[in-house]
Amino acid sequence: SSGINAEYGGLYLVYIFIQDSRLNKGFCKKQTEWMTNWECSFIGVINFTGTQISLLTMTVLSCMRSFRVKNALRHWQTPRGRRSVLTVSFVCIVVICTSCLLAIFPLLHVSQDFFINGLIYDTSNSLFIGLVPKSKHFDILQAYYGRMKRKSLQWSQINKMVDDMFSKDHDGIKRYVQGFYSNKQVCLFKYFVTSESPQRFFIWCILAVNSICFLVTSSCYIYINSVTKSSTLGLTERITN
């Protein structure tokens, strides 16, 4: 599991190094372009997928080892040969699919209302400046269109209403989407959120799952250590007696 995490982490670091060498001193001017393109999201997915695969694999293997130790002490037969290979293959497929799904979910179109941090508009306008979150959009659009419902405002509606505010003679106003992985320049999973962050429930769930995995892994190894120690002491007593 550590090897998988190292491979994915290595790919992430190599890509960051390549982009850093390419942008170099011009990063400040191209920061928005870098953080809002697909490459930033891609390496964010790669890094998070590797982390989750490593964590879930370690948890499952810890449980399997504890069961094997328990069965061995009770003289039960553990699955071998083809059955064992099928079990491990099934576990690997489930772990990989689960990790990939968790990593890709923030990028899906159906979840954009929860994982888009805001929009960055072209500097040619003086109305939308810097990163504009949904709350700031609501205030500006309400001042322009009149009374609206804050909770029902979606990003698709925001884009349409912003388009209608500006002339389309020159393709309207350009904007860049700052997604889930583009919250920082290094494009990592967003573990720290505020109470106003729309993706806080998803992140809290991920942190809860990771914490449970850590507790399960720790408990399994504590159990294995305890059982093997008691078994060794029992065997030593039989030999000396």
Side-chain angles (χ1 to χ4, degrees):
S1 60
S2 59
I4 295 173
N5 190 25
E7 289 178 4
Y8 279 83
L11 288 173
Y12 166 81
L13 291 175
V14 168
Y15 200 89
I16 285 290
F17 172 77
I18 292 172
Q19 293 302 320
D20 180 64
S21 301
R22 182 177 67 87
L23 297 175
N24 202 2
K25 295 180 180 180
F27 177 76
C28 290
K29 295 181 179 179
K30 297 182 179 180
Q31 179 177 348
T32 300
E33 179 183 349
W34 158 248
M35 292 177 63
T36 56
N37 68 10
W38 66 270
E39 294 174 289
C40 183
S41 297
F42 175 73
I43 63 172
V45 168
I46 290 293
N47 183 269
F48 181 65
T49 300
T51 301
Q52 291 304 117
I53 288 177
S54 178
L55 181 63
L56 294 176
T57 302
M58 187 166 54
T59 304
V60 173
L61 289 177
S62 300
C63 293
M64 293 176 67
R65 285 170 183 167
S66 62
F67 280 118
R68 282 180 176 271
V69 169
K70 180 180 178 181
N71 294 343
L73 293 175
R74 295 187 179 184
H75 306 289
W76 292 352
Q77 289 185 351
T78 55
R80 297 180 179 178
R82 184 178 179 183
R83 184 181 174 186
S84 180
V85 172
L86 290 175
T87 302
V88 173
S89 300
F90 175 76
V91 169
C92 290
I93 292 173
V94 171
V95 166
I96 292 173
C97 291
T98 302
S99 300
C100 290
L101 180 62
L102 290 175
I104 295 173
F105 182 71
L107 304 180
L108 298 179
H109 180 73
V110 294
S111 59
Q112 66 175 354
D113 283 318
F114 301 99
F115 293 101
I116 292 180
N117 294 311
L119 301 178
I120 302 175
Y121 291 87
D122 189 14
T123 54
S124 60
N125 85 94
S126 58
L127 189 59
F128 300 100
I129 301 174
L131 176 65
V132 187
K134 185 179 287 188
S135 57
K136 190 173 181 180
H137 273 99
F138 177 84
D139 294 336
I140 296 174
L141 293 175
Q142 187 180 48
Y144 185 84
Y145 286 100
R147 188 174 180 180
M148 296 186 300
K149 292 183 179 180
R150 184 183 294 270
K151 292 184 178 180
S152 62
L153 193 62
Q154 300 178 348
W155 282 112
S156 57
Q157 296 173 318
I158 290 174
N159 282 318
K160 185 178 184 307
M161 295 172 77
V162 170
D163 287 337
D164 293 339
M165 291 173 63
F166 294 89
S167 173
K168 298 182 180 179
D169 295 338
H170 302 284
D171 297 326
I173 180 173
K174 295 182 180 180
R175 73 208 70 174
Y176 305 91
V177 177
Q178 189 181 72
F180 181 71
Y181 292 101
S182 57
N183 65 93
K184 295 293 182 181
Q185 292 85 345
V186 289
C187 308
L188 290 173
F189 187 88
K190 186 179 179 181
Y191 285 104
F192 301 99
V193 293
T194 63
S195 58
E196 299 178 355
S197 179
Q199 56 264 161
R200 61 188 182 278
F201 296 112
F202 175 76
I203 294 173
W204 290 344
C205 289
I206 294 295
L207 290 174
V209 170
N210 292 355
S211 300
I212 292 171
C213 288
F214 175 76
L215 291 175
V216 170
T217 303
S218 301
S219 300
C220 286
Y221 278 105
I222 291 172
Y223 170 78
I224 292 171
N225 184 59
S226 175
V227 169
T228 51
K229 273 188 176 182
S230 61
S231 177
T232 303
L233 289 174
L235 181 61
T236 304
E237 290 178 358
R238 291 195 201 99
I239 294 174
T240 54
N241 295 333

